[in-house]
Amino acid sequence: MSFSQLGLNAALLKAVAEQGYSTPSPIQQEAIPAILTGKDVLAAAQTGTGKTAGFSLPLLQRLADGPAVKANQVRALILTPTRELAAQVEENVSHYSRYLDLSSAVVFGGVGINPQMKRLRRGVDVLIATPGRLLDLYQQNAVKFNQLEVLVLDEADRMLDMGFIHDIKRVLKLLPQQRQNLLFSATFSDTVTTLAESITNSPVKISTAPANRTADDVEQYLVAVDKSRKVKALTALIKKHQWKQVLVFSRTKHGANRIASRLEGADIPAAAIHGNKSQGARTKALAAFKNGEIDVLVATDIAARGIDISELPIVVNLDLPNTAADYVHRIGRTGRAGASGQAWSLVSADELQQLKDIETLIQKLLPRQELEGYEPELKLAETTLSAPKKPKKPKVKKAGSASSGGPRKPRQGPSADGGRGQQQRRRRKPAGPKKPAVAQ
Ligand code: AMP
């Protein structure tokens, strides 16, 4: 199957070809034709499956045929849980729309609101936003939704995990009743399903991978180690394997800072990224990680959610997450889009229950590796595989496996702006390559 068989117009096909995509991923094969019909869509899709193009391409095609956007109006709204994800989605939208006369902009908190208000004055075809800042802008009359045609909720499960349900409900009340709704979520808990049911109308249901499946391409290892020696063991592992570009997960923000500074102390360039850091610091750390200035990025689950780094080779769980599903999200950061990767977990005796939960969820025992000199004094008990907990039936039909031909060649290397995207983009001429976006 090729992109041209999906009903996309020449301008989008050209932009997609320039991105180096040759074959649509399973989610794209399902979502693009469905969205082009104008129906609501409910999709179970993990990050790394090509979901962003899956909703952006048909959305842009629909907008290209409609009326010009008026002052302060928005024609398509994409809500995302994190600033980083918002910036990345906008970067993608901007690439895909380069040969269309459509504008895009991104708004999120943590940075000045005035440039965003100024940008919105001209109207925006596609606005990517985090919910809180969008509401602030609305309250200041900077954004209006009379022209809104499409709403996308990206990573809906994470938005609910992060407590955005009230903000989302507030936003929904502001939108016209008549609109197309697209909801993407990695997992479908009861709360996500309830939200989906309240938003969508007879949606087309799509799923590209069974819920809670771990990426087949990721090699997973466990090192049993005493809690107090975890950072030292991590340092030893990094040095032993000469790892570059390691994403380390910490359960807490405080822990993330501490780990990063201890790695720095051991001559391993590292930075922490979490919700307490200013947007500037987060963007800077991510850019430094992407362009190889630092080897290790230490992140909390929420901060890591929006990071798109192609072919990330190594993920380390310095703490096991409290929620087993987060383990799947974490290791999904590596081996993305068909690339191979490794996920290592440093597990202390007190984390036995989390380990059991994870192994039950993924239905696999994590292979244990010894790290010489770091054998634990407090032994981590052996585990056995228990029967899977009754899975929540995803109420979506299957469209094939994520490993059966997903995106093969993700964007290589860092983008010129470190993958951060720009805050605002000017309206562009229909043909010819885009001018660089101007942040205002
Ligand atoms: P996403 O799941 O949207 O975060 O996309 C994951 C990565 O796959 C991104 O780096 C995309 O640029 C890339 N990608 C998306 N669609 C394709 C495709 N059809 N072929 C190759 N790479 C793709």
Side-chain angles (χ1 to χ4, degrees):
M1 148 106 39
S2 68
F3 276 99
S4 57
Q5 290 168 279
L6 295 176
L8 294 172
N9 66 30
L12 289 168
L13 291 177
K14 189 172 173 194
V16 162
E18 282 178 12
Q19 286 295 107
Y21 306 167
S22 50
T23 319
S25 68
I27 187 81
Q28 292 165 356
Q29 292 180 23
E30 292 291 314
I32 292 172
I35 296 172
L36 285 175
T37 65
K39 290 193 180 134
D40 284 0
V41 168
L42 205 56
Q46 311 270 352
T47 299
T49 54
K51 67 181 169 63
T52 314
F55 62 73
S56 309
L57 293 170
L59 180 152
L60 289 166
Q61 174 144 330
R62 294 205 61 211
L63 295 183
D65 294 336
V69 71
K70 297 189 180 133
N72 294 100
Q73 298 287 346
V74 168
R75 296 180 60 210
L77 173 65
I78 303 175
L79 287 180
T80 73
T82 63
R83 306 157 187 181
E84 284 82 7
L85 183 62
Q88 264 166 223
V89 170
E90 201 275 338
E91 197 186 359
N92 285 350
V93 167
S94 166
H95 282 304
Y96 304 145
S97 62
R98 64 191 304 161
Y99 299 111
L100 293 170
D101 189 16
L102 293 172
S103 58
S104 58
V106 57
V107 295
F108 46 67
V111 294
I113 199 166
N114 288 340
Q116 299 177 350
M117 293 176 71
K118 192 172 164 215
R119 171 60 190 93
L120 287 166
R121 262 180 234 153
R122 278 179 283 142
V124 178
D125 290 292
V126 185
L127 182 67
I128 299 99
T130 52
R133 175 54 61 96
L134 183 73
L135 287 166
D136 288 347
L137 285 160
Y138 180 81
Q139 264 149 24
Q140 308 218 29
N141 283 327
V143 61
K144 297 183 179 141
F145 299 108
N146 313 60
Q147 268 194 286
L148 189 103
E149 297 167 48
V150 190
L151 168 71
V152 183
L153 288 189
D154 193 12
E155 303 205 346
D157 50 350
R158 188 54 52 156
M159 279 204 266
L160 297 188
D161 287 353
M162 290 173 69
F164 284 138
I165 185 68
H166 300 297
D167 282 351
I168 292 173
K169 284 187 175 162
R170 267 180 228 132
V171 172
L172 289 172
K173 284 199 188 125
L174 309 174
L175 307 182
Q177 293 283 319
Q178 192 67 14
R179 57 171 200 263
Q180 184 178 22
N181 299 289
L182 313 174
L183 184 144
F184 285 72
S185 189
T187 51
F188 273 79
S189 62
D190 290 346
T191 42
V192 177
T193 306
T194 310
L195 176 71
E197 279 166 0
S198 72
I199 293 180
T200 55
N201 187 9
S202 315
V204 177
K205 294 172 177 173
I206 297 169
S207 167
T208 50
N212 303 330
R213 187 181 144 278
T214 52
D216 290 338
D217 296 318
V218 182
E219 291 170 36
Q220 299 167 65
Y221 301 105
L222 180 162
V223 178
V225 61
D226 282 326
K227 198 175 189 64
S228 58
R229 302 189 73 204
K230 279 192 174 183
V231 182
K232 282 205 168 126
L234 170 66
T235 311
L237 270 176
I238 293 173
K239 291 193 169 163
K240 179 175 163 197
H241 295 282
Q242 300 185 330
W243 284 337
K244 301 277 171 208
Q245 268 216 330
V246 188
L247 180 61
V248 174
F249 281 93
S250 155
R251 221 161 26 208
T252 63
K253 298 170 191 172
H254 181 67
N257 285 339
R258 196 173 40 85
I259 297 159
S261 61
R262 285 185 57 192
L263 290 173
E264 288 263 304
D267 284 335
I268 298 173
I273 176 170
H274 54 69
N276 283 2
K277 295 255 172 190
S278 70
Q279 183 55 33
R282 284 155 60 144
T283 313
K284 201 169 146 223
L286 186 55
F289 185 56
K290 284 190 172 189
N291 67 26
E293 274 167 48
I294 56 169
D295 294 345
V296 182
L297 191 65
V298 189
T300 53
D301 287 292
I302 285 173
R305 180 69 173 182
I307 300 174
D308 173 24
I309 300 155
S310 303
E311 300 180 18
L312 183 61
I314 310 285
V315 164
V316 177
N317 295 308
L318 202 81
D319 308 305
L320 286 184
N322 284 332
T323 315
D326 276 342
Y327 175 83
V328 181
H329 288 309
R330 287 180 177 190
I331 75 159
R333 313 308 312 179
T334 180
R336 300 185 62 189
S340 65
Q342 294 183 355
W344 290 70
S345 298
L346 301 183
V347 185
S348 47
D350 59 306
E351 293 175 303
L352 183 64
Q353 190 54 50
Q354 285 106 301
L355 176 62
K356 284 182 180 166
D357 290 347
I358 289 166
E359 292 182 330
T360 307
L361 180 73
I362 64 173
Q363 279 299 289
K364 183 177 165 170
L365 293 180
L366 295 182
R368 297 191 181 207
Q369 294 255 331
E370 291 223 335
L371 180 62
E372 219 187 305
Y374 290 88
E375 297 80 3
E377 282 177 16
L378 269 176
K379 290 267 172 287
L380 176 68
E382 290 296 328
T383 48
T384 50
L385 209 52
S386 329
K389 289 194 183 128
K390 224 172 161 228
K392 286 218 165 65
K393 273 212 179 101
K395 294 180 183 159
V396 286
K397 84 176 162 84
K398 250 206 216 157
S401 145
S403 58
S404 67
R408 283 285 166 246
K409 275 198 182 160
R411 231 178 16 256
Q412 295 292 313
S415 54
D417 63 357
R420 284 160 287 151
Q422 303 284 339
Q423 263 199 61
Q424 287 94 21
R425 294 186 192 267
R426 286 184 190 283
R427 196 170 183 89
R428 289 171 186 87
K429 294 271 172 274
K434 269 190 174 169
K435 282 191 231 129
V438 181
Q440 316 214 340

